[in-house]
Amino acid sequence: MTHTKDLRGKLLLLFTVTFLFVTVFIIRSSRMVREIPNPSFSLKACHVQVSEQPITPLQDTQHLLVSAYMDQRVKGFDVRIISIFKRDSVHPLHCIFCCSGDISTTTPANILPHSDHFGFPYGTTDVMCQIPLTCHRATHVSLLTEPNKNISTEQLWLPIRRTAVNEKEKLQFNFTVCISNLFGEYNNVLQVAQSLEMYRLLGVGRVVIYNTSCGPELDLLLQTYSQEGFLEIVPWPIDKYLIPSKGWSFSIHGGDLHYYGQLATLNDCIYRSMARSHYVTLNDIDEIVMPYQHDNLADLMSVLQQHNPNTGVFLIENHIFPKIYFEPGGRFHLSQWKDVPGVNILEHIYRETPDMNIYHPYKIIVQPRMVEQTSVHSVLKTFGQVYKVPHDVCRLIHTRVALRRELTLEQLNVDKRLWDFHEKLIPNVDKVLRRAGLLSSEGQS
Ligand SMILES: *[C@@H]1O[C@H](CO)[C@@H](O)[C@H](O)[C@H]1NC(C)=O
Ligand SMILES: *[C@@H]1O[C@H](CO)[C@@H](O)[C@H](O)[C@H]1NC(C)=O
Ligand SMILES: *[C@@H]1O[C@H](CO)[C@@H](O)[C@H](O)[C@H]1NC(C)=O
């Protein structure tokens, strides 16, 4: 009896082990199948090719499509396609939809180039489409150069993404930070970790970064944040299609497109955030929107919004903390960070006073649903009012090379606002660096 039980137990064990083995093998091989390259297109309803890329060339044109959003805020239109157009080759286009499995008739597109393009040959452009009355539940959209022409199998379609929530739904995040573009071998790991952890302490729920390329250690850090869900990385291979400029001015920097397509990514990020975030801040990765009279962004915005109820755009002054000047006591010159590449923002406490005689750039906090088109330092089209936030209430802490190089150390302002957060900030930065495998072992506490 015991013997049979023993045998049965052994058989059961053998069976279980084999089963697990086979299961793991099946999962692994199916994963391998999924990893075979060519994930760019998929066949969906309407038997059309749906682009799953962040940049989609538009057939028969030199234009690039980025994303399509349901947007009924402008009368007569239903869908906005954010695009990058060759500005001297804009010809009429026609919108076509996939409607519950059927292809619609075409409607004429309204092409709206953004006013900011800084002289580059390519510029951000919105294509506005009206869904035909006969179309029920449009799921995908594409553009044709001629109305109702035969659609080739090469034609790529964009999914139409939502921008509104229904009444019962809650927005997922209070604040989203949109970091436009990462390019080159940018590897400023310590400053990025400190900035992202500062955002989190200030109440940011999601950060979106458009990534063309980055350095190896920063790649590890960003993967860590992305796995955790705090960071959404949008691949942005604009250099595969155009010669992106490393600068903001065509006459100075040359190239096809302003700053790796920063304007298109900022606009995309606002629309991407409409159905999930109360506020969106548009800033660079070396900038922190810092409240000086409140502990966090939610408290700041609730006060600002009370005094400015119809405002959807808040302009924040940019203040530079030059990285050549260090706090002399070395209080936050921490040994565990000595092998981490990048700037330690806690060591830079000297702030330039901006030269208000020259144009002073702002960065922006917006209510995404009140914005139609944005640029970098201002909003181009909005449904609400714009408010300039006083710098003693909130300013950008921007640690970088000096802007006003003529200023001596004595002419700078001592500003230790970041230090108010050190008790939480430092352990949080250590934790994420350790998880990314970027803290040297002797520095580990
Ligand atoms: C469009 O397709 C139909 C059916 O395949 C064909 O008869 C017609 O000639 C085509 N029209 C053009 C303009 O190619
Ligand atoms: C949004 O902010 C409010 C007020 O500070 C807070 O109570 C709430 O938990 C926050 N929601 C999220 C999703 O972070
Ligand atoms: C950023 O893009 C580059 C180039 O495609 C890629 O090698 C890198 O892994 C990406 N990093 C992240 C964090 O997505």
Side-chain angles (χ1 to χ4, degrees):
M1 197 62 194
T2 9
H3 186 73
T4 329
K5 231 184 199 168
D6 212 32
L7 190 70
R8 217 186 270 160
K10 270 182 189 157
L11 272 173
L12 193 68
L13 185 72
L14 187 71
F15 177 77
T16 313
V17 167
T18 317
F19 179 77
L20 278 177
F21 213 75
V22 169
T23 311
V24 166
F25 180 76
I26 289 173
I27 289 175
R28 277 195 57 140
S29 48
S30 74
R31 200 178 284 157
M32 275 187 307
V33 168
R34 256 187 266 129
E35 274 167 15
I36 288 173
N38 194 17
S40 359
F41 314 115
S42 70
L43 218 54
K44 292 259 170 68
C46 289
H47 303 287
V48 295
Q49 288 201 64
V50 177
S51 170
E52 284 168 6
Q53 297 294 303
I55 301 171
T56 304
L58 177 60
Q59 222 196 0
D60 306 323
T61 73
Q62 291 170 282
H63 312 315
L64 303 170
L65 306 183
V66 177
S67 46
Y69 292 95
M70 199 70 195
D71 183 5
Q72 296 178 315
R73 297 172 303 167
V74 180
K75 207 167 177 301
F77 296 104
D78 304 298
V79 171
R80 180 185 304 263
I81 305 176
I82 297 174
S83 333
I84 296 169
F85 268 40
K86 179 114 189 292
R87 293 195 298 119
D88 67 1
S89 321
V90 178
H91 303 293
L93 290 168
H94 304 270
C95 309
I96 187 160
F97 297 89
C98 170
C99 313
S100 349
D102 293 325
I103 296 202
S104 73
T105 54
T106 61
T107 54
N110 193 19
I111 300 171
L112 302 175
H114 288 217
S115 54
D116 266 8
H117 47 69
F118 303 100
F120 287 94
Y122 283 78
T124 310
T125 300
D126 291 343
V127 181
M128 304 300 292
C129 290
Q130 187 170 38
I131 299 175
L133 285 174
T134 50
C135 168
H136 299 291
R137 222 178 71 79
T139 53
H140 299 80
V141 64
S142 193
L143 295 169
L144 303 174
T145 50
E146 284 165 47
N148 299 315
K149 79 164 189 181
N150 282 351
I151 298 158
S152 94
T153 50
E154 306 295 299
Q155 183 83 30
L156 292 176
W157 293 64
L158 300 183
I160 302 172
R161 301 194 221 175
R162 67 180 199 145
T163 50
V165 286
N166 51 42
E167 309 235 311
K168 277 178 243 137
E169 268 180 293
K170 274 220 183 106
L171 295 175
Q172 201 180 349
F173 307 116
N174 285 334
F175 290 90
T176 296
V177 175
C178 292
I179 306 286
S180 44
N181 299 33
L182 220 52
F183 58 84
E185 279 299 289
Y186 192 74
N187 205 31
N188 191 351
V189 175
L190 188 52
Q191 185 167 3
V192 171
Q194 289 176 331
S195 299
L196 293 188
E197 292 306 330
M198 251 338 290
Y199 299 159
R200 210 188 321 235
L201 289 178
L202 292 172
V204 170
R206 169 61 65 83
V207 179
V208 183
I209 292 186
Y210 292 76
N211 167 38
T212 305
S213 64
C214 65
E217 282 85 12
L218 189 61
D219 196 24
L220 290 174
L221 181 74
L222 297 182
Q223 306 282 4
T224 305
Y225 274 118
S226 147
Q227 276 153 22
E228 170 202 335
F230 182 56
L231 175 65
E232 175 176 2
I233 298 173
V234 184
W236 186 250
I238 188 70
D239 50 350
K240 300 246 180 352
Y241 302 94
L242 300 175
I243 300 167
S245 180
K246 290 193 167 68
W248 64 272
S249 159
F250 178 61
S251 52
I252 302 170
H253 307 101
D256 287 332
L257 179 67
H258 167 265
Y259 255 139
Y260 282 76
Q262 182 185 26
L263 294 170
T265 57
L266 289 179
N267 280 279
D268 180 67
C269 194
I270 287 184
Y271 281 85
R272 183 182 286 263
S273 306
M274 276 182 195
R276 65 187 192 199
S277 191
H278 282 283
Y279 292 99
V280 169
T281 84
L282 307 177
N283 56 259
D284 290 344
I285 197 135
D286 55 1
E287 297 169 336
I288 296 166
V289 174
M290 177 63 86
Y292 274 67
Q293 295 174 9
H294 303 92
D295 294 337
N296 57 62
L297 291 166
D299 292 352
L300 166 75
M301 291 316 293
S302 96
V303 170
L304 290 182
Q305 206 72 76
Q306 253 164 40
H307 293 116
N308 308 275
N310 301 317
T311 300
V313 177
F314 298 85
L315 300 179
I316 312 294
E317 276 184 25
N318 197 348
H319 289 235
I320 310 278
F321 289 62
K323 63 181 183 183
I324 44 165
Y325 297 120
F326 290 79
E327 184 266 317
R331 178 168 174 204
F332 294 112
H333 184 82
L334 303 180
S335 62
Q336 72 263 36
W337 293 341
K338 73 179 180 357
D339 294 326
V340 181
V343 173
N344 176 359
I345 58 176
L346 290 171
E347 291 191 88
H348 304 286
I349 57 160
Y350 299 101
R351 167 164 56 75
E352 291 182 359
T353 302
D355 182 355
M356 284 303 185
N357 294 319
I358 56 171
Y359 168 64
H360 190 66
Y362 297 86
K363 288 293 168 72
I364 344 177
I365 301 177
V366 300
Q367 281 196 54
R369 287 158 305 283
M370 287 173 87
V371 174
E372 199 185 338
Q373 292 183 346
T374 193
S375 183
V376 183
H377 305 296
S378 63
V379 160
L380 300 176
K381 285 188 180 179
T382 168
F383 299 102
Q385 259 132 39
V386 178
Y387 176 68
K388 277 186 187 170
V389 180
H391 60 229
D392 60 333
V393 175
C394 180
R395 60 161 72 85
L396 280 174
I397 294 183
H398 188 178
T399 312
R400 46 157 275 170
V401 295
L403 184 67
R404 301 183 65 192
R405 287 169 210 200
E406 74 281 7
L407 295 180
T408 64
L409 183 57
E410 291 68 36
Q411 290 171 302
L412 301 180
N413 313 284
V414 172
D415 181 337
K416 297 181 180 168
R417 176 62 174 142
L418 279 171
W419 289 15
D420 296 343
F421 298 86
H422 81 269
E423 276 180 21
K424 284 185 179 158
L425 181 63
I426 292 169
N428 291 358
V429 168
D430 284 349
K431 205 192 288 173
V432 71
L433 289 175
R434 194 171 299 123
R435 261 194 293 139
L438 293 167
L439 265 202
S440 63
S441 48
E442 61 176 313
Q444 290 196 13
S445 43

